[in-house]
Each structure stands twice: as structure tokens, then as C-alpha cells.
Amino acid sequence: MKKYSRRKLLQFSLISSVAGILGMDSRFAKALALMSTPSETEGPFYPVANQKDKDADLTHIDGYLDRAAGQYIMISGRVTDIYGKPVGKALLDIWQADANGRYRHPRDPNKAKLDQNFQGWAVIQTDDEGLYRFKTVMPGAYPASRTWTRPPHIHLKIFKPGYEALTTQMYFPNQELNKSDLLLGQKSVVEQSAMIAAEKAREGNLIFYEYNIVLDLLRN
């Protein structure tokens, strides 16, 4: 018999109560709840040195003349709860490697050249409708070990009082290295689909991606 956590049982109970009010079978009501975005390890390269510029444009550091090298991309999406309600004023903590696959971190062993013009870290908020948007570069792949190369990905932490804090990693579609990644490979097909952004458009040197995030409710 499958066992559920107390939090999941409470979630099912709430959905069933809503189903009763609406006159729906609880099995169908459960299907109305969205799957929360899968969590993932923070990794070893979360920024350790504070910086003044952590805005939504990672391709340019305030006060620098030059911009970051690489393929420019725009990431946008909406943060909602498991019932589809927008989560406004949620805090998004975002960090990633530059186009060379190098993190702005003193303990990154990658011998690739660090792009000094890449911001590497952003802290932004969703608007009242749960929408967010930031500009960055396509992160480069990098060796995690002698036999494992990590695919391009972006790290995110999402916080909002009343919701479970989420640490996850966003991946990109049509990346060959996705197939052999040891972390992404631990996820189910459904979970993987929730962690891979969707390409929406291309305009000049800019590629637009959509990545929606679902937070679970905080329960005692």
C-alpha cells in the first residue's frame, strides 16, 4: 500500500472537501491540483560574496562598459500555487554559470575563463500576478567529474511566506546532455517535463523561454 506524507494527506483532504462542496468525485478533484515544481540540490556554487548589482539583467553589470559574452536569452513565467492561484511578490534567487560554464564562485574548479562582464546572480520579485522575467545568457555546460558533464541549467530558489520554499534547477530543451545528466536522470518523465523550459520565440540574437513554477502550500 502506498504511503503518503502527512502534508500530502492534508492536501488530499482539502481537495476532497472542495470536491464535496462542488459535488465532484474526489478522484477528479485531485486531478485539479497542479504538481509542484520538483526540487533539486542547490549545488556547490551558490554565491558567497555579496554584490551590488543583482537586478533582472544578468548580461550587464552596473558601471561596466562591456556586456557578457554568449547567447542572450530571456526567461519569463508565472509562479502559482498548486491550485493555479498566482503567487505575487515571491522572491526569486537566481544564479548560474556564464557562457563558458564558469561560476562566479571562488571554489569553482573549472579551468574555463571567467566572464568578468557576466553578473551571474540575480534576486528579483514576481509582480502582483505572479509574473517574473529576467535576461541572461545561455549557461555553458561544464564538467562535474571526469565522467559527468552537466547540461546548461539555471539554479533558482523561490520564497514566499505561506508556501514551501523551493530550490530547483531549470533546464533547456533539445540539449543532448540532458539525457546523460545524473541529476535530471533521477526524475520521472513528468518531473523532467516540469523542469525543462519551453522555447517560445527568437528575435535576432535573443531567444525567449517560458518557465512556470508551482509552489506547494506550507502546512504545519
Side-chain angles (χ1 to χ4, degrees):
M1 181 177 179
K2 185 175 181 179
K3 293 183 179 180
Y4 292 101
S5 66
R6 181 174 180 270
R7 181 171 62 120
K8 186 59 67 178
L9 288 171
L10 287 170
Q11 178 180 317
F12 286 170
S13 176
L14 176 60
I15 296 172
S16 297
S17 297
V18 173
I21 294 172
L22 298 179
M24 295 184 293
D25 187 288
S26 62
R27 291 173 299 173
F28 295 105
K30 289 175 187 177
L32 295 177
L34 300 171
M35 181 185 75
S36 56
T37 300
S39 62
E40 190 50 272
T41 175
E42 178 182 293
F45 303 125
Y46 181 80
V48 294
N50 199 13
Q51 59 190 56
K52 291 182 179 179
D53 193 355
K54 291 183 282 190
D55 68 4
D57 185 356
L58 285 80
T59 69
H60 181 253
I61 300 175
D62 188 34
Y64 284 45
L65 295 177
D66 296 326
R67 288 186 171 269
Q71 171 65 64
Y72 285 14
I73 59 177
M74 188 76 74
I75 312 292
S76 62
R78 185 188 298 271
V79 178
T80 68
D81 65 19
I82 57 174
Y83 303 109
K85 179 182 176 182
V87 180
K89 305 306 180 186
L91 188 70
L92 276 71
D93 196 345
I94 304 158
W95 70 103
Q96 64 166 90
D98 61 26
N100 301 320
R102 180 78 181 270
Y103 286 88
R104 187 181 284 272
H105 192 284
R107 291 192 295 276
D108 185 355
N110 192 351
K111 297 185 183 301
K113 183 179 179 180
L114 177 67
D115 185 350
Q116 297 290 349
N117 297 307
F118 180 57
Q119 184 175 299
W121 184 18
V123 179
I124 62 175
Q125 270 191 330
T126 60
D127 67 11
D128 291 337
E129 298 301 317
L131 298 172
Y132 75 91
R133 177 170 164 165
F134 65 94
K135 184 179 182 181
T136 186
V137 301
M138 176 66 75
Y142 61 87
S145 70
R146 288 183 296 176
T147 58
W148 175 24
T149 300
R150 295 234 56 208
H153 61 280
I154 294 177
H155 298 263
L156 301 102
K157 287 184 180 181
I158 304 94
F159 305 91
K160 175 66 187 283
Y163 298 88
E164 293 281 353
L166 173 68
T167 299
T168 191
Q169 297 181 24
M170 186 200 85
Y171 298 84
F172 294 87
N174 305 315
Q175 293 288 332
E176 189 66 25
L177 288 170
N178 285 351
K179 300 176 183 178
S180 58
D181 187 61
L182 299 185
L183 293 180
L184 189 59
Q186 294 177 354
K187 307 297 184 183
S188 69
V189 173
V190 173
E191 289 173 325
Q192 288 182 21
S193 68
M195 300 177 75
I196 297 176
E199 182 178 328
K200 306 304 289 186
R202 293 184 180 229
E203 295 180 9
N205 188 40
L206 190 61
I207 305 177
F208 293 81
Y209 291 95
E210 181 180 58
Y211 185 66
N212 296 315
I213 299 166
V214 179
L215 298 182
D216 206 349
L217 300 175
L218 183 63
R219 305 181 193 281
N220 296 325

